[in-house]
Amino acid sequence: MIPEKLAEGDDTYGLLHYLYGPGRRDEHVDPHMVAAWDPYIDDPARSPDMTISDLALILDAPVYALLGRKPKLHVYHVAVRNAPEDRILSNAEWARVAYELMDAAGIAPHDSDQGCRWVAVRHAEDHIHIVATKAREDGRQPNLRQDIVKMQRVAARFEVELGLRQLTRGDKTARMWVKSGEAEKADRRGLKEPVRVTLQRTVREAAAAAVSDTDFFARLAAAGLRVQQRIAPDGNITGYSVALPGDRNRKQEPVWFSGSRLAPDLSLPRVRERWDGPALSPSEPPAGMWRVAEENVRTAADQLGAGGLHQGAGDVAALGDLIVVAAVISPRLVRDQIRQAATEFEQASRAPAARSLEGQARGLYRESTQVLKQSTASMGRNDAAAALGFLLALVMAVEASRRWHEAQEHRAQAQAAGRAGRLLREAVEVTAGASAAREYRPRPKRTPTRSGNPRRSAPAASTRPMAGIVQEAIPEHARVVLADPAWPTLRVRLTEVERAGEDLVDVLATVAHRRELTSAESIAEVLTWRLDGWRRQRSLTAAATGTSTAATSAGGTGRTDGPRKTGASSPTRRPPGDEQRKGPRRAR
């Protein structure tokens, strides 16, 4: 449950009209009041004796009655939202939440009948809006000191009481929330995501790979962002802001975001902490770079947090940068999973403690980041086999970070590391499946014998007993797989592979024996991921061979320049020395 304090205003009627209206995109459903300072106040949506204008005047009455200075922005607005996976609360439950939040905020304390006037409006299943006016009945203004912190404590209590998702608050490591106006603006412009999210990811990738101020700002500009530096009178750069081209406010001015507004660790001082060591200039080929990075990460995973709390905080920060860079240069087959893992690990990389940058694990992670950064030129290549060992090491490192956070009682960070680890394990298995598909050599098809016994034809995909396929391909795991909750998903994937004309028993046995399965929490889920990688790789192979197949389909020679002309004169003889100038002749 998240209480979010929204912008204050001076138009009570305008806000109520919006909350009771259809919304900007007809998203408001059945707007109605669930609670108010006076239990007998009429609801404009339910009573013909009350209008929105009347309710606004009643709420504003104590403000107009103030004898002293009136607050310039007297409208207090709070939105309270549940997580998508939470159950739907009843109106009575939301009413209890609203009463307790207004007491905690200081708007309407339970021990006083002279508090401010407020109403709670519900126009969706997962949230309510609370509107109050900042003037008490006794003519005083409310004490709103640390109101949002106090409301968060109440929300945490309701999470336990009502069985909702429990959030961790107060360590200032969570990413900045995307405001509703930013999401609506992205929707109107047809963007895939809000501008803030795009800027966060782009700036983080530049910071993770940069080695100096100049390199950092050059990477931001190369990524297509508008960059604005804040320069002190002595000429030193003290901060920066970025904007996305085309993103403007109502005055047609660029919408700038400072680094600290994007994330706590993207301010310029925190960004600069990343490149305090010497830069490397490795000359390894791409596959060799993956191997060097793998060795460093495995060593660092054993040393993470060994130097104490502050060094551990620096270690997980460097690990977060490494995952960001790995996501940029990873094989295309698993790039989406690793990018999601980098996003999930973002909070885990920010420990709620001062960080020391002298840890040995931190140095190894940073060295691996610089090594992988040099292989950016190979982004278009499919280096899945070379990356597989590195991804396995990365899973080990993320698991080490999760255990370290648990030992420090960093619950939110441990959960974030757990989510990132699951995505990386999926990337590992997809990569393993793709490698198996690339090296796969189908068994030769059996031909009918001379005795006249016809070859038994395979049954249609819709009638194949998939349980029998599993028992034939992996008899040692069949019982566990068929009882796994993920078996229905695996069965669908097997059907898709068979429809592609593959030998299902051979394929399943191949991916199953690619890597061990005994340590998997869900063997069926792991096999599903590997078959995903198999299908993606086979699709890429088919697309790559389709062009050459089409070129040779006419006559089998690969020539596409039409039939050879007859009766043509013999080629003109080249002058002496022309062969050296024009290069080798084309082979026929």
Side-chain angles (χ1 to χ4, degrees):
M1 179 177 290
I2 303 174
E4 181 183 5
K5 185 177 178 181
L6 302 179
E8 297 177 345
D10 58 1
D11 185 2
T12 306
Y13 169 79
L15 179 56
L16 290 175
H17 184 270
Y18 167 74
L19 296 178
Y20 275 100
R24 293 186 175 91
R25 300 182 303 277
D26 296 324
E27 71 274 18
H28 295 174
V29 178
D30 187 25
H32 59 280
M33 185 188 301
V34 295
W37 85 99
D38 183 350
Y40 300 104
I41 197 73
D42 289 330
D43 182 2
R46 300 287 190 267
S47 173
D49 299 326
M50 178 70 72
T51 65
I52 296 177
S53 298
D54 294 335
L55 181 59
L57 289 172
I58 295 173
L59 287 170
D60 283 339
V63 179
Y64 296 140
L66 289 175
L67 298 178
R69 184 178 180 182
K70 297 178 176 57
K72 183 177 180 180
L73 301 176
H74 67 275
V75 181
Y76 187 85
H77 184 195
V78 174
V80 190
R81 187 179 303 273
N82 284 342
E85 63 269 24
D86 285 339
R87 67 179 181 86
I88 304 302
L89 301 186
S90 66
N91 284 339
E93 289 172 324
W94 275 122
R96 287 185 52 226
V97 170
Y99 277 112
E100 295 301 324
L101 290 179
M102 290 297 93
D103 169 63
I107 291 291
H110 291 335
D111 58 359
S112 173
D113 59 357
Q114 298 295 312
C116 302
R117 298 181 178 184
W118 59 272
V119 295
V121 179
R122 181 181 188 180
H123 54 215
E125 292 182 336
D126 63 345
H127 71 278
I128 61 173
H129 289 261
I130 304 176
V131 180
T133 48
K134 296 190 299 183
R136 291 169 49 92
E137 300 281 2
D138 55 11
R140 296 185 293 123
Q141 294 186 15
N143 179 10
L144 302 178
R145 186 172 179 271
Q146 291 192 331
D147 52 346
I148 190 63
V149 175
K150 296 175 182 177
M151 285 190 288
Q152 287 176 344
R153 293 172 185 164
V154 172
R157 190 175 74 241
F158 274 115
E159 288 169 358
V160 177
E161 180 181 340
L162 301 177
L164 307 176
R165 177 184 175 185
Q166 298 183 39
L167 305 177
T168 300
R169 302 175 172 86
D171 62 7
K172 298 182 180 180
T173 61
R175 62 167 37 196
M176 301 298 181
W177 285 89
V178 175
K179 298 180 180 179
S180 57
E182 295 172 357
E184 293 169 359
K185 183 178 181 180
D187 190 35
R188 290 195 306 269
R189 294 182 58 195
L191 302 178
K192 294 182 179 180
E193 60 188 7
V195 170
R196 182 190 294 269
V197 176
T198 303
L199 293 175
Q200 282 176 341
R201 182 177 61 254
T202 307
V203 173
R204 187 170 299 282
E205 290 175 357
V211 295
S212 65
D213 282 15
T214 302
D215 187 21
F216 174 59
F217 291 120
R219 289 177 181 274
L220 294 180
L225 302 187
R226 304 184 67 174
V227 183
Q228 193 176 65
Q229 299 177 359
R230 187 168 61 251
I231 302 177
D234 59 1
N236 292 324
I237 302 175
T238 60
Y240 72 99
S241 298
V242 291
L244 197 66
D247 184 33
R248 298 181 177 274
N249 58 21
R250 294 179 179 178
K251 299 180 181 179
Q252 294 302 305
E253 299 171 338
V255 180
W256 295 98
F257 291 83
S258 64
S260 57
R261 283 184 60 199
L262 294 176
D265 59 337
L266 292 182
S267 65
L268 188 57
R270 300 299 293 271
V271 167
R272 282 172 169 162
E273 292 176 352
R274 290 167 162 86
W275 50 72
D276 62 335
L280 301 179
S281 300
S283 58
E284 295 275 353
M289 292 180 181
W290 289 112
R291 178 178 47 77
V292 171
E294 174 188 351
E295 294 173 355
N296 286 346
V297 171
R298 289 186 183 277
T299 303
D302 296 332
Q303 301 172 356
L304 190 147
L309 176 61
H310 299 321
Q311 284 193 8
D315 294 344
V316 294
L319 177 57
D321 284 345
L322 176 60
I323 301 175
V324 169
V325 173
V328 174
I329 66 173
S330 58
R332 292 185 182 276
L333 288 175
V334 293
R335 194 166 297 168
D336 288 342
Q337 282 96 337
I338 301 180
R339 276 182 170 167
Q340 292 175 29
T343 301
E344 291 292 351
F345 194 80
E346 181 182 325
Q347 186 170 8
S349 68
R350 293 192 291 267
R355 62 187 188 181
S356 170
L357 305 178
E358 304 301 327
Q360 187 173 0
R362 189 261 179 185
L364 289 170
Y365 287 142
R366 184 60 183 165
E367 180 182 345
S368 300
T369 299
Q370 297 185 34
V371 166
L372 289 182
K373 183 185 64 176
Q374 304 302 318
S375 66
T376 304
S378 67
M379 287 177 59
R381 295 179 52 191
N382 192 338
D383 293 324
L388 181 57
F390 169 76
L391 292 178
L392 286 168
L394 210 54
V395 170
M396 181 191 305
V398 170
E399 177 61 21
S401 73
R402 185 190 66 80
R403 293 195 300 267
W404 181 80
H405 280 303
E406 286 183 343
Q408 308 303 323
E409 298 185 353
H410 301 158
R411 190 178 69 182
Q413 286 77 10
Q415 292 174 350
R419 293 191 298 270
R422 174 180 170 79
L423 287 164
L424 287 173
R425 286 193 295 272
E426 178 181 352
V428 165
E429 302 303 343
V430 170
T431 303
S435 298
R438 191 164 44 251
E439 300 172 5
Y440 176 67
R441 296 296 179 268
R443 293 181 297 183
K445 295 183 178 180
R446 292 172 295 178
T447 57
T449 60
R450 293 186 178 181
S451 60
N453 293 331
R455 185 178 61 180
R456 185 175 58 184
S457 59
S462 60
T463 62
R464 289 291 296 271
M466 290 300 168
I469 295 294
V470 173
Q471 291 171 347
E472 183 179 354
I474 46 173
E476 68 276 19
H477 300 297
R479 186 174 181 180
V480 175
V481 168
L482 296 178
D484 196 307
W487 161 242
T489 305
L490 175 59
R491 184 172 53 196
V492 172
R493 197 68 76 249
L494 288 170
T495 303
E496 293 172 349
V497 172
E498 189 177 42
R499 286 174 180 168
E502 304 272 13
D503 184 336
L504 202 52
V505 174
D506 198 15
V507 170
L508 184 58
T510 300
V511 298
H513 294 97
R514 187 67 181 180
R515 293 184 60 246
E516 58 87 20
L517 291 169
T518 54
S519 63
E521 296 179 2
S522 170
I523 295 179
E525 188 173 49
V526 168
L527 291 174
T528 301
W529 290 337
R530 291 185 189 178
L531 289 175
D532 280 340
W534 176 282
R535 293 174 60 243
R536 295 180 196 177
Q537 180 60 40
R538 299 289 276 182
S539 298
L540 289 175
T541 303
T545 58
T547 304
S548 60
T549 301
T552 60
S553 61
T557 63
R559 295 179 61 90
T560 59
D561 51 353
R564 178 180 295 182
K565 296 181 181 181
T566 59
S569 59
S570 60
T572 303
R573 189 172 184 178
R574 293 183 180 181
D578 192 52
E579 289 81 356
Q580 286 77 12
R581 292 195 301 269
K582 293 186 176 296
R585 294 185 179 181
R586 180 177 177 182
R588 294 188 181 272

mmCIF file with all atom_site columns, all heavy atoms in Angstrom, residues 97-109:
data_model
loop_
_atom_site.group_PDB
_atom_site.id
_atom_site.type_symbol
_atom_site.label_atom_id
_atom_site.label_alt_id
_atom_site.label_comp_id
_atom_site.label_asym_id
_atom_site.label_entity_id
_atom_site.label_seq_id
_atom_site.pdbx_PDB_ins_code
_atom_site.Cartn_x
_atom_site.Cartn_y
_atom_site.Cartn_z
_atom_site.occupancy
_atom_site.B_iso_or_equiv
_atom_site.pdbx_formal_charge
_atom_site.auth_seq_id
_atom_site.auth_comp_id
_atom_site.auth_asym_id
_atom_site.auth_atom_id
_atom_site.pdbx_PDB_model_num
ATOM 1  N N   . VAL A 1 97  ? -8.858  2.788  6.138  1.00 0.00 ? 97  VAL A N   1
ATOM 2  C CA  . VAL A 1 97  ? -7.540  3.270  5.718  1.00 0.00 ? 97  VAL A CA  1
ATOM 3  C C   . VAL A 1 97  ? -7.526  4.798  5.676  1.00 0.00 ? 97  VAL A C   1
ATOM 4  O O   . VAL A 1 97  ? -6.583  5.449  6.169  1.00 0.00 ? 97  VAL A O   1
ATOM 5  C CB  . VAL A 1 97  ? -7.179  2.683  4.346  1.00 0.00 ? 97  VAL A CB  1
ATOM 6  C CG1 . VAL A 1 97  ? -5.923  3.351  3.782  1.00 0.00 ? 97  VAL A CG1 1
ATOM 7  C CG2 . VAL A 1 97  ? -6.969  1.169  4.436  1.00 0.00 ? 97  VAL A CG2 1
ATOM 8  N N   . ALA A 1 98  ? -8.559  5.395  5.099  1.00 0.00 ? 98  ALA A N   1
ATOM 9  C CA  . ALA A 1 98  ? -8.601  6.849  4.976  1.00 0.00 ? 98  ALA A CA  1
ATOM 10 C C   . ALA A 1 98  ? -8.636  7.531  6.341  1.00 0.00 ? 98  ALA A C   1
ATOM 11 O O   . ALA A 1 98  ? -7.925  8.523  6.585  1.00 0.00 ? 98  ALA A O   1
ATOM 12 C CB  . ALA A 1 98  ? -9.817  7.258  4.150  1.00 0.00 ? 98  ALA A CB  1
ATOM 13 N N   . TYR A 1 99  ? -9.465  7.017  7.272  1.00 0.00 ? 99  TYR A N   1
ATOM 14 C CA  . TYR A 1 99  ? -9.548  7.611  8.609  1.00 0.00 ? 99  TYR A CA  1
ATOM 15 C C   . TYR A 1 99  ? -8.191  7.580  9.312  1.00 0.00 ? 99  TYR A C   1
ATOM 16 O O   . TYR A 1 99  ? -7.766  8.570  9.908  1.00 0.00 ? 99  TYR A O   1
ATOM 17 C CB  . TYR A 1 99  ? -10.591 6.863  9.456  1.00 0.00 ? 99  TYR A CB  1
ATOM 18 C CG  . TYR A 1 99  ? -12.012 7.325  9.232  1.00 0.00 ? 99  TYR A CG  1
ATOM 19 C CD1 . TYR A 1 99  ? -12.939 6.508  8.616  1.00 0.00 ? 99  TYR A CD1 1
ATOM 20 C CD2 . TYR A 1 99  ? -12.417 8.589  9.669  1.00 0.00 ? 99  TYR A CD2 1
ATOM 21 C CE1 . TYR A 1 99  ? -14.250 6.924  8.405  1.00 0.00 ? 99  TYR A CE1 1
ATOM 22 C CE2 . TYR A 1 99  ? -13.718 9.017  9.473  1.00 0.00 ? 99  TYR A CE2 1
ATOM 23 C CZ  . TYR A 1 99  ? -14.632 8.186  8.842  1.00 0.00 ? 99  TYR A CZ  1
ATOM 24 O OH  . TYR A 1 99  ? -15.921 8.619  8.644  1.00 0.00 ? 99  TYR A OH  1
ATOM 25 N N   . GLU A 1 100 ? -7.505  6.435  9.235  1.00 0.00 ? 100 GLU A N   1
ATOM 26 C CA  . GLU A 1 100 ? -6.230  6.307  9.934  1.00 0.00 ? 100 GLU A CA  1
ATOM 27 C C   . GLU A 1 100 ? -5.142  7.171  9.301  1.00 0.00 ? 100 GLU A C   1
ATOM 28 O O   . GLU A 1 100 ? -4.289  7.725  10.000 1.00 0.00 ? 100 GLU A O   1
ATOM 29 C CB  . GLU A 1 100 ? -5.803  4.834  9.955  1.00 0.00 ? 100 GLU A CB  1
ATOM 30 C CG  . GLU A 1 100 ? -6.720  3.925  10.747 1.00 0.00 ? 100 GLU A CG  1
ATOM 31 C CD  . GLU A 1 100 ? -6.829  4.349  12.203 1.00 0.00 ? 100 GLU A CD  1
ATOM 32 O OE1 . GLU A 1 100 ? -5.813  4.818  12.773 1.00 0.00 ? 100 GLU A OE1 1
ATOM 33 O OE2 . GLU A 1 100 ? -7.929  4.236  12.778 1.00 0.00 ? 100 GLU A OE2 1
ATOM 34 N N   . LEU A 1 101 ? -5.152  7.283  7.968  1.00 0.00 ? 101 LEU A N   1
ATOM 35 C CA  . LEU A 1 101 ? -4.144  8.109  7.306  1.00 0.00 ? 101 LEU A CA  1
ATOM 36 C C   . LEU A 1 101 ? -4.324  9.582  7.634  1.00 0.00 ? 101 LEU A C   1
ATOM 37 O O   . LEU A 1 101 ? -3.351  10.308 7.852  1.00 0.00 ? 101 LEU A O   1
ATOM 38 C CB  . LEU A 1 101 ? -4.198  7.893  5.794  1.00 0.00 ? 101 LEU A CB  1
ATOM 39 C CG  . LEU A 1 101 ? -3.717  6.532  5.279  1.00 0.00 ? 101 LEU A CG  1
ATOM 40 C CD1 . LEU A 1 101 ? -3.854  6.466  3.766  1.00 0.00 ? 101 LEU A CD1 1
ATOM 41 C CD2 . LEU A 1 101 ? -2.269  6.272  5.677  1.00 0.00 ? 101 LEU A CD2 1
ATOM 42 N N   . MET A 1 102 ? -5.560  10.050 7.672  1.00 0.00 ? 102 MET A N   1
ATOM 43 C CA  . MET A 1 102 ? -5.798  11.453 8.001  1.00 0.00 ? 102 MET A CA  1
ATOM 44 C C   . MET A 1 102 ? -5.447  11.766 9.453  1.00 0.00 ? 102 MET A C   1
ATOM 45 O O   . MET A 1 102 ? -5.008  12.874 9.774  1.00 0.00 ? 102 MET A O   1
ATOM 46 C CB  . MET A 1 102 ? -7.265  11.810 7.719  1.00 0.00 ? 102 MET A CB  1
ATOM 47 C CG  . MET A 1 102 ? -7.610  11.838 6.232  1.00 0.00 ? 102 MET A CG  1
ATOM 48 S SD  . MET A 1 102 ? -6.703  13.107 5.273  1.00 0.00 ? 102 MET A SD  1
ATOM 49 C CE  . MET A 1 102 ? -5.280  12.164 4.673  1.00 0.00 ? 102 MET A CE  1
ATOM 50 N N   . ASP A 1 103 ? -5.599  10.779 10.324 1.00 0.00 ? 103 ASP A N   1
ATOM 51 C CA  . ASP A 1 103 ? -5.166  10.953 11.710 1.00 0.00 ? 103 ASP A CA  1
ATOM 52 C C   . ASP A 1 103 ? -3.643  11.032 11.781 1.00 0.00 ? 103 ASP A C   1
ATOM 53 O O   . ASP A 1 103 ? -3.084  11.921 12.440 1.00 0.00 ? 103 ASP A O   1
ATOM 54 C CB  . ASP A 1 103 ? -5.676  9.791  12.556 1.00 0.00 ? 103 ASP A CB  1
ATOM 55 C CG  . ASP A 1 103 ? -5.045  9.757  13.934 1.00 0.00 ? 103 ASP A CG  1
ATOM 56 O OD1 . ASP A 1 103 ? -5.252  10.703 14.712 1.00 0.00 ? 103 ASP A OD1 1
ATOM 57 O OD2 . ASP A 1 103 ? -4.300  8.790  14.214 1.00 0.00 ? 103 ASP A OD2 1
ATOM 58 N N   . ALA A 1 104 ? -2.966  10.134 11.075 1.00 0.00 ? 104 ALA A N   1
ATOM 59 C CA  . ALA A 1 104 ? -1.507  10.115 11.125 1.00 0.00 ? 104 ALA A CA  1
ATOM 60 C C   . ALA A 1 104 ? -0.910  11.365 10.497 1.00 0.00 ? 104 ALA A C   1
ATOM 61 O O   . ALA A 1 104 ? 0.094   11.903 10.990 1.00 0.00 ? 104 ALA A O   1
ATOM 62 C CB  . ALA A 1 104 ? -0.988  8.866  10.411 1.00 0.00 ? 104 ALA A CB  1
ATOM 63 N N   . ALA A 1 105 ? -1.504  11.855 9.417  1.00 0.00 ? 105 ALA A N   1
ATOM 64 C CA  . ALA A 1 105 ? -0.958  13.022 8.729  1.00 0.00 ? 105 ALA A CA  1
ATOM 65 C C   . ALA A 1 105 ? -1.134  14.307 9.514  1.00 0.00 ? 105 ALA A C   1
ATOM 66 O O   . ALA A 1 105 ? -0.439  15.301 9.265  1.00 0.00 ? 105 ALA A O   1
ATOM 67 C CB  . ALA A 1 105 ? -1.608  13.177 7.360  1.00 0.00 ? 105 ALA A CB  1
ATOM 68 N N   . GLY A 1 106 ? -2.060  14.346 10.472 1.00 0.00 ? 106 GLY A N   1
ATOM 69 C CA  . GLY A 1 106 ? -2.348  15.561 11.211 1.00 0.00 ? 106 GLY A CA  1
ATOM 70 C C   . GLY A 1 106 ? -3.485  16.361 10.613 1.00 0.00 ? 106 GLY A C   1
ATOM 71 O O   . GLY A 1 106 ? -3.791  17.467 11.090 1.00 0.00 ? 106 GLY A O   1
ATOM 72 N N   . ILE A 1 107 ? -4.149  15.834 9.601  1.00 0.00 ? 107 ILE A N   1
ATOM 73 C CA  . ILE A 1 107 ? -5.289  16.530 9.000  1.00 0.00 ? 107 ILE A CA  1
ATOM 74 C C   . ILE A 1 107 ? -6.502  16.485 9.918  1.00 0.00 ? 107 ILE A C   1
ATOM 75 O O   . ILE A 1 107 ? -7.160  17.511 10.168 1.00 0.00 ? 107 ILE A O   1
ATOM 76 C CB  . ILE A 1 107 ? -5.637  15.898 7.635  1.00 0.00 ? 107 ILE A CB  1
ATOM 77 C CG1 . ILE A 1 107 ? -4.540  16.200 6.617  1.00 0.00 ? 107 ILE A CG1 1
ATOM 78 C CG2 . ILE A 1 107 ? -6.997  16.405 7.110  1.00 0.00 ? 107 ILE A CG2 1
ATOM 79 C CD1 . ILE A 1 107 ? -4.435  17.651 6.198  1.00 0.00 ? 107 ILE A CD1 1
ATOM 80 N N   . ALA A 1 108 ? -6.806  15.297 10.431 1.00 0.00 ? 108 ALA A N   1
ATOM 81 C CA  . ALA A 1 108 ? -7.977  15.122 11.306 1.00 0.00 ? 108 ALA A CA  1
ATOM 82 C C   . ALA A 1 108 ? -7.618  14.153 12.412 1.00 0.00 ? 108 ALA A C   1
ATOM 83 O O   . ALA A 1 108 ? -7.970  12.964 12.355 1.00 0.00 ? 108 ALA A O   1
ATOM 84 C CB  . ALA A 1 108 ? -9.173  14.622 10.505 1.00 0.00 ? 108 ALA A CB  1
ATOM 85 N N   . PRO A 1 109 ? -6.933  14.602 13.474 1.00 0.00 ? 109 PRO A N   1
ATOM 86 C CA  . PRO A 1 109 ? -6.554  13.709 14.574 1.00 0.00 ? 109 PRO A CA  1
ATOM 87 C C   . PRO A 1 109 ? -7.780  13.122 15.270 1.00 0.00 ? 109 PRO A C   1
ATOM 88 O O   . PRO A 1 109 ? -8.817  13.793 15.417 1.00 0.00 ? 109 PRO A O   1
ATOM 89 C CB  . PRO A 1 109 ? -5.763  14.629 15.511 1.00 0.00 ? 109 PRO A CB  1
ATOM 90 C CG  . PRO A 1 109 ? -5.317  15.783 14.660 1.00 0.00 ? 109 PRO A CG  1
ATOM 91 C CD  . PRO A 1 109 ? -6.402  15.974 13.655 1.00 0.00 ? 109 PRO A CD  1
#
